[in-house]
Amino acid sequence: MTQRFKRPLIAATLAVATAAAPMARAETLRLADSFPVGHYIAEGMTKVWMDRVTELTNGEVKFDYYPAEQMGKSKDLLSLTQTGVVDVGYVGVSYIADKLPLSAVGELPEAFDTSCVGTNAYWTLAQPGGVLDQAELAPLKVRMLFVMVLSPYHVMTARKEITGADSFKGLKLRTTGGTKEMAVELLGATPISIPAPETREALSRGTIDGVLFPHSSVLPYGLESQLKYGTEGINFGSFVASYVISEDRWRQLSPEVQQAMIQAGEEVNHSACAMGEEFDMKDKKKMEDAGVTFVSLPDADKTQVEGKLATIGEQWAKTLDARGKPGTEILEAFRDALAKQKAASN
């Protein structure tokens, strides 16, 4: 064969080989949560994580996003993720306290007053390989991808003026269940477990007298027009907003995609909690402008309330210990992680 015919033959052979070479498989994953459109968690955490994963995979992974309970109620999203109906699902720990009792440790009224201290401490426990992951998430065959522990919750009422510790007695207060039910009961009030999207209607109908909520969750649900009073200066607990993927789905992803999700999760954990802290103060101001009056309890009343709230951690742990779950171990691990985070931030 002459040189004149060799080159075209080599080029043709290379072209066929290139066409036959396997290409990176593009994937579109389904991510679902219960947040209304425009919610600060969805905008500042969820969408940021999705965009970052797409960027890190050079567009190989994209997402179909289903907000506002389009794929199922918030309490059902864990099981929908486990069964593969969705690929990545939102888990509001309080909504499924029966399935994730240990994970509620991040919602206790413990010694943190900022979202980032709570988030960073919680992540050391809940990330794959952490003590909480091994005790509760791994047995359910899911892994946490990213999380935010919200800024502390406050009591806010629709009509009843808050003047002291006795102001809460007899009120029906919306909670997200779990440990915040314990806080409400210690106040002498009745906890009512209602998903966030249903809270406005419950307030307007008088089904509940108030809510246990962080500032930044009030405005997305349009609650400011229904509220008149709120507490300040006391941590009534928090809320763990997390997203998980099933281990089966995780193993189907390439190592490169897995690493992109891990990196995006680490980044968004830090950026989202900082965003949450900023929004917390801004949204409190917006609520004040809308007519909500925030009240600092008299010193004696504050000491009384905080003394009651301080007992919740041990009570929570002992209850779980009695059920054969490592409540005390998880609580001590969280407190140790909080101490380290606070020391690092000073």
Side-chain angles (χ1 to χ4, degrees):
M1 182 181 292
T2 65
Q3 187 68 23
R4 186 167 70 91
F5 290 104
K6 283 183 181 179
R7 292 187 183 276
L9 180 58
I10 293 173
T13 302
L14 288 173
V16 171
T18 301
M23 301 292 289
R25 183 166 62 93
E27 293 194 74
T28 299
L29 305 182
R30 298 178 300 277
L31 186 149
D33 62 32
S34 62
F35 297 116
V37 175
H39 193 283
Y40 78 103
I41 292 179
E43 297 296 325
M45 181 171 74
T46 315
K47 291 182 179 180
V48 173
W49 181 82
M50 289 189 289
D51 290 344
R52 185 62 172 140
V53 171
T54 298
E55 178 185 6
L56 289 170
T57 59
N58 296 314
E60 179 182 341
V61 174
K62 297 181 180 179
F63 295 89
D64 284 337
Y65 177 42
Y66 299 91
E69 297 188 328
Q70 291 178 20
M71 293 292 283
K73 295 292 186 180
S74 55
K75 64 181 179 63
D76 297 324
L77 289 174
L78 172 62
S79 61
L80 292 175
T81 305
Q82 291 172 305
T83 56
V85 176
V86 299
D87 298 303
V88 178
Y90 163 66
V91 173
V93 168
S94 290
Y95 297 145
I96 48 174
D98 58 328
K99 296 180 180 178
L100 296 175
L102 293 169
S103 297
V105 68
E107 303 189 339
L108 294 168
E110 288 294 312
F112 69 94
D113 54 10
T114 68
S115 176
C116 283
V117 169
T119 297
N120 293 336
Y122 189 83
W123 180 243
T124 65
L125 276 63
Q127 64 183 317
V131 61
L132 180 57
D133 170 69
Q134 293 300 304
E136 191 159 79
L137 300 175
L140 292 174
K141 301 187 185 308
V142 296
R143 65 168 49 211
M144 193 172 291
L145 294 171
F146 55 102
V147 64
M148 179 163 63
V149 177
L150 274 56
S151 293
Y153 273 47
H154 301 276
V155 175
M156 305 175 203
T157 59
R159 300 172 186 83
K160 179 70 177 292
E161 183 177 2
I162 297 173
T163 57
D166 291 337
S167 300
F168 312 112
K169 291 183 178 179
L171 295 179
K172 293 175 292 185
L173 299 177
R174 179 267 180 186
T175 74
T176 48
T179 59
K180 284 182 284 300
E181 286 187 358
M182 299 167 65
V184 167
E185 289 172 346
L186 286 173
L187 296 175
T190 300
I192 306 294
S193 183
I194 297 176
E198 301 172 20
T199 304
R200 190 178 190 280
E201 182 178 357
L203 281 170
S204 65
R205 290 185 174 184
T207 305
I208 56 176
D209 302 305
V211 300
L212 203 59
F213 245 28
H215 303 129
S216 293
S217 289
V218 169
L219 299 176
Y221 295 105
L223 305 184
E224 69 276 11
S225 63
Q226 304 292 325
L227 298 171
K228 296 298 181 184
Y229 301 97
T231 60
E232 63 182 2
I234 298 178
N235 180 356
F236 287 94
S238 185
F239 184 86
V240 176
S242 66
Y243 287 78
V244 302
I245 187 171
S246 73
E247 282 295 342
D248 286 343
R249 191 67 182 94
W250 177 259
R251 287 193 293 268
Q252 295 171 16
L253 302 173
S254 69
E256 293 77 16
V257 170
Q258 291 178 350
Q259 183 55 44
M261 288 185 171
I262 292 171
Q263 180 178 336
E266 292 283 356
E267 292 175 1
V268 80
N269 285 345
H270 297 293
S271 63
C273 70
M275 173 272 301
E277 292 176 9
E278 180 181 356
F279 270 74
D280 183 65
M281 297 313 297
K282 288 183 177 179
D283 289 340
K284 180 184 178 184
K285 179 62 169 59
K286 291 179 181 178
M287 291 175 63
E288 290 174 326
D289 293 341
V292 179
T293 299
F294 288 95
V295 179
S296 294
L297 269 59
D299 289 344
D301 292 67
K302 181 179 179 182
T303 299
Q304 177 185 341
V305 171
E306 290 183 333
K308 291 180 178 179
L309 296 175
T311 67
I312 291 178
E314 279 74 18
Q315 183 181 344
W316 172 86
K318 288 179 181 178
T319 299
L320 290 172
D321 290 344
R323 293 167 51 189
K325 296 182 179 295
T328 297
E329 178 187 354
I330 296 297
L331 177 61
E332 291 177 351
F334 185 54
R335 287 177 170 173
D336 181 60
L338 283 174
K340 291 178 180 178
Q341 287 297 321
K342 291 167 70 175
S345 63
N346 291 335

